[in-house]
Amino acid sequence: MAEAEQAAHETEPWATDSHNLGGWASNQAVLDHLVFLTQGERLTSVVHNPDERGVGRLATLEVLLVQSASSLWMGGDEKDYNVCVRFEVRRASSGPREITPETIDCPPGVPAAPTPR
């Protein structure tokens, strides 16, 4: 989950960077940037309001992330597991967009561990 929180934290200022030639990034570009930063697999994404300066819920993204965990009591073996995260992109009546990640139950068909490559 730390990667998702870091991606949200880094995307918020990127989305409103006044140095962009086009001004604020579109809500779709924000979702694309989150997928890029997390290196996750996009499960669903919806732009609820195409106006990047809109108010309320602007966009929602669900991604599948691969996390690693090491357990010392198991001889230090590192295990990979899948985590699904939902990002909500919102904006209050004034100010920049806020991006909030939260873990969610993965949809049916997503295994608990990634498939070996």
Side-chain angles (χ1 to χ4, degrees):
M1 187 62 183
E3 292 91 352
E5 291 171 352
Q6 183 65 30
H9 178 73
E10 291 177 13
T11 300
E12 286 176 344
W14 174 88
T16 57
D17 183 0
S18 62
H19 300 292
N20 287 338
L21 294 176
W24 283 22
S26 72
N27 292 323
Q28 183 61 56
V30 170
L31 299 181
D32 295 341
H33 193 74
L34 288 167
V35 172
F36 171 76
L37 285 180
T38 61
Q39 297 179 5
E41 177 184 334
R42 184 186 311 249
L43 297 173
T44 64
S45 63
V46 178
V47 174
H48 304 286
N49 184 346
D51 181 4
E52 65 273 2
R53 294 181 188 261
V55 175
R57 186 171 70 165
L58 302 177
T60 306
L61 169 70
E62 292 180 0
V63 294
L64 171 65
L65 305 176
V66 177
Q67 302 287 297
S68 296
S70 178
S71 54
L72 295 176
W73 62 87
M74 296 179 68
D77 289 344
E78 191 167 287
K79 304 283 184 189
D80 290 336
Y81 59 97
N82 288 330
V83 175
C84 293
V85 176
R86 176 181 296 131
F87 291 93
E88 290 278 338
V89 181
R90 300 181 143 301
R91 184 171 176 273
S93 59
S94 64
R97 286 171 280 197
E98 295 178 1
I99 302 169
T100 308
E102 68 175 312
T103 57
I104 59 171
D105 290 335
C106 289
V110 174
T115 55
R117 295 182 184 190

